[in-house]
Amino acid sequence: MFESMQVIKKLIERYDYCGAYEILKDKGMENMDSSLIINSCRYAVNFDFFNAKKILKHLSADTLKDSVCVDLLSNLEALNNGQPDVLMSELLENLKFQIVNEEYIDFLGRVYRFKEAIYKFMFIKSQLPDRNFTFQMRFLQKKEILKILRNHYKIFNNNLIFALNSYFRKYDKNTEVVDPIIRLMNSEKMNQLIELRHNSLIGHGFMGVSAEEIQRVYGNPYNVLDDFRACLISLGIEVQRYKYSIVNKLILELLEQDYNAFFKLDHSVNANFE
């Protein structure tokens, strides 16, 4: 079991909660606190925040009182409500996971989604500056944005990014904040990165993607995270960093406790049959 524990710890360090949970489940430890949090993270990294929060309600009373767990429950509630600070921070964390695990095609997919999310956020804030923004607003739907662009600004391009570029170039007045973001999003290095996505399996082709290819067009993949983070901060979005690193620390602490308790009980049961 010691070797399994080492594997579990390594999987957690790489944010592979599915793999870690499957091993614990095979050992019959799926209902212990460490496993429940791992299972919750397994749902959260797939943006199923409702079930991620639901699972945590089965934790022991002591663990539920832990400050990390209290913050995690609050975070999941905000994610369920589509709050921009936590949702964009979650997407940044998700991007980091893809780099850590060298899943570069998925990484490019997240980059494209992030670019689109930033454009949507800037547009809706420009249209409804006094409205409380969440990513659950119906105005965030592509068809709603395109309808506004057609009806109010006579922009008829059905490609959302191209249409919003036209809007910001012609009509937006918040140039001091928006212009640097637009320049980054339309920079040569970003366009080349998006082109890699288009040519991959999640785009329109079958081209492979490597760290070297990303390095060639953009530099270190972590530079993408830094650039996106700077965009969010300039938009007034509070970026929350290291969420899963903090949660992982709690998981590893609980894992040691659960491991000792489980095998103490297992040894006691076996002794009764001897």
Side-chain angles (χ1 to χ4, degrees), residues 22-69:
E22 287 302 316
I23 295 175
L24 288 166
K25 188 176 179 182
D26 287 343
K27 302 296 181 183
M29 297 176 65
E30 68 271 21
N31 294 318
M32 308 197 89
D33 281 356
S34 56
S35 298
L36 290 171
I37 297 177
I38 290 169
N39 195 23
S40 173
C41 290
R42 186 168 68 104
Y43 281 92
V45 297
N46 286 295
F47 279 61
D48 184 351
F49 307 120
F50 176 81
N51 280 311
K53 184 182 178 185
K54 183 178 177 182
I55 288 166
L56 293 181
K57 294 181 179 179
H58 298 286
L59 290 168
S60 66
D62 286 343
T63 301
L64 279 170
K65 294 176 185 176
D66 187 283
S67 60
V68 173
C69 197

Side-chain angles (χ1 to χ4, degrees), residues 51 63 66 83 96 131 163 174 215 223 243 258:
N51 280 311
T63 301
D66 187 283
Q83 296 301 312
K96 181 178 72 177
R131 180 83 173 265
N174 192 18
Q215 182 89 28
N223 292 345
K243 167 188 168 180
D258 291 344

